[in-house]
């Protein structure tokens, strides 16, 4: 299922906001260019979506899952032996910030964020979207990377890296409620979300636990870790493992009827 929304979907004054943003962007770009700072040269301020006038400002945030608490091992006599003993930093997802900013603030997604940068997929999750991101945590990324000689981030494996990460980015704004409604409309059967490179990512409700499960074309499944997190340009999920895209194989007429 492929759901696409307009680039500027919020409010009646989207056209006015776009024009105002363009004027302010050009003014800022000209001012900064005049300063001679090379770091600002070529910046396209008209696409600074995370601070756009179309983004509704919100103070709401939710704590993202992490495993830093479990990594801390107290000393035998009970005396603190690490700063973690005093404080485990919260990793917050802010509803008025885009996907790329929120995942960059998660220690649990540091490997995934690095992989997104290597694959050069940041423009998609930093733009207006909307996209639903099924981010892979560090432990799962490490297991996945070990399956490729030299690691998945090696230049020789860039094609596979881009395809795998593209399978974690689905078109549309799919929070839990939207997914369950779509599955219900499909008579309880799994639905398919169109991902960045056209592969379908299946989502179904587990008949045993009632939780949402991700599924590829080979029937392999992946569980979600916690709830969904609203973003200014979509929705963020944490997964518990990595799920690989499986190319859809067309079945010939002979095979379809059981002939060899």
């Amino acid at each position: 299922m492929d759901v696409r929304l307009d680039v500027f979907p919020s409010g009646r004054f989207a056209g006015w906001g776009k024009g105002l943003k363009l004027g302010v962007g050009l003014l800022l770009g000209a001012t900064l260019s005049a300063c001679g700072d090379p770091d600002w040269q070529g910046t396209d301020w008209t696409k600074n979506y995370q601070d756009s006038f179309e983004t509704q400002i919100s103070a709401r945030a939710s704590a993202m899952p992490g495993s830093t608490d479990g990594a801390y091992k107290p000393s035998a006599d009970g005396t603190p032996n690490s700063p973690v003993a005093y404080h485990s930093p919260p990793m917050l997802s802010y509803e008025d910030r885009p996907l790329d900013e929120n995942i960059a603030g998660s220690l649990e997604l540091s490997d995934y964020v690095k992989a997104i940068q290597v694959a050069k997929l940041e423009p998609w999750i930093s733009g207006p979207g909307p996209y639903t991101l099924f981010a892979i945590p560090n432990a799962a990324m490490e297991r996945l990377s070990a399956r490729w000689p030299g690691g998945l981030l090696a230049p020789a494996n860039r094609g596979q890296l881009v395809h795998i990460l593209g399978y974690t980015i689905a078109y549309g704004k799919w929070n839990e409620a939207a997914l369950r409604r779509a599955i219900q409309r499909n008579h309880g059967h799994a639905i398919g979300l169109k991902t960045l490179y056209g592969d379908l990512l299946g989502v179904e409700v587990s008949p045993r636990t009632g939780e949402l499960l991700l599924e590829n074309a080979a029937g392999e499944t992946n569980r979600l870790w916690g709830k969904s997190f609203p973003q200014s340009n979509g929705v963020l999920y944490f997964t518990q493992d990595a799920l690989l895209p499986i190319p859809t194989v067309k079945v010939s007429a002979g095979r379809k009827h059981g002939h060899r």
Side-chain angles (χ1 to χ4, degrees):
M1 184 176 293
D2 179 10
V3 174
R4 296 174 184 265
L5 302 183
D6 293 336
V7 174
F8 301 105
S10 59
R12 296 170 293 176
F13 304 106
W16 173 85
K18 183 178 180 182
L20 181 59
K21 179 178 67 176
L22 177 59
V24 174
L26 291 174
L27 177 61
L28 285 173
T31 302
L32 290 170
S33 296
C35 295
D37 186 347
D39 292 336
W40 297 104
Q41 300 300 318
T43 300
D44 186 356
W45 289 94
T46 66
K47 292 183 172 58
N48 192 21
Y49 295 111
Q50 59 267 44
D51 292 316
S52 71
F53 293 102
E54 289 79 19
T55 299
Q56 183 177 357
I57 297 175
S58 172
R60 290 179 297 185
S62 301
M64 295 183 284
S67 56
T68 55
D69 288 335
Y72 171 66
K73 302 299 181 183
S75 59
D77 59 1
T79 58
N81 58 5
S82 166
V84 180
Y86 299 99
H87 177 65
S88 178
M91 295 175 286
L92 298 178
S93 174
Y94 297 91
E95 294 187 11
D96 63 349
R97 311 311 290 169
L99 287 157
D100 65 314
E101 287 192 19
N102 280 320
I103 64 173
S106 169
L107 295 176
E108 194 62 48
L109 297 179
S110 57
D111 289 346
Y112 178 79
V113 170
K114 177 63 176 177
I116 286 284
Q117 294 170 346
V118 172
K120 301 187 184 303
L121 296 181
E122 286 179 293
W124 277 266
I125 61 174
S126 63
Y131 292 105
T132 298
L133 191 68
F134 297 94
I136 305 172
N138 292 333
M141 280 295 298
E142 292 171 4
R143 292 193 298 269
L144 179 66
S145 184
R147 297 167 61 177
W148 273 264
L152 190 53
L153 270 61
N157 299 323
R158 187 174 183 275
Q160 292 92 330
L161 174 68
V162 171
H163 194 190
I164 291 170
L165 294 184
Y167 198 51
T168 69
I169 305 173
Y171 291 102
K173 195 170 187 175
W174 291 99
N175 59 24
E176 296 167 88
L179 288 173
R180 291 185 183 275
R181 284 195 301 267
I183 293 171
Q184 186 177 22
R185 288 195 299 268
N186 201 33
H187 308 289
H189 299 298
I191 62 170
L193 305 183
K194 186 176 180 181
T195 57
L196 199 57
Y197 297 110
D199 303 286
L200 289 181
L201 175 63
V203 185
E204 63 179 354
V205 175
S206 168
R208 185 173 62 86
T209 64
E211 65 180 335
L212 293 174
L213 296 176
L214 305 180
E215 184 178 12
N216 63 13
E220 300 168 329
T221 60
N222 190 6
R223 297 173 62 191
L224 300 176
W225 184 4
K227 61 180 183 178
S228 61
F229 298 91
Q231 313 283 288
S232 67
N233 62 347
V235 180
L236 170 64
Y237 289 90
F238 284 62
T239 65
Q240 295 194 22
D241 211 331
L243 193 64
L244 300 182
I246 305 297
T248 302
V249 179
K250 294 183 180 180
V251 180
S252 65
R255 291 288 300 275
K256 187 183 298 183
H257 292 87
H259 304 297
R260 295 184 180 273

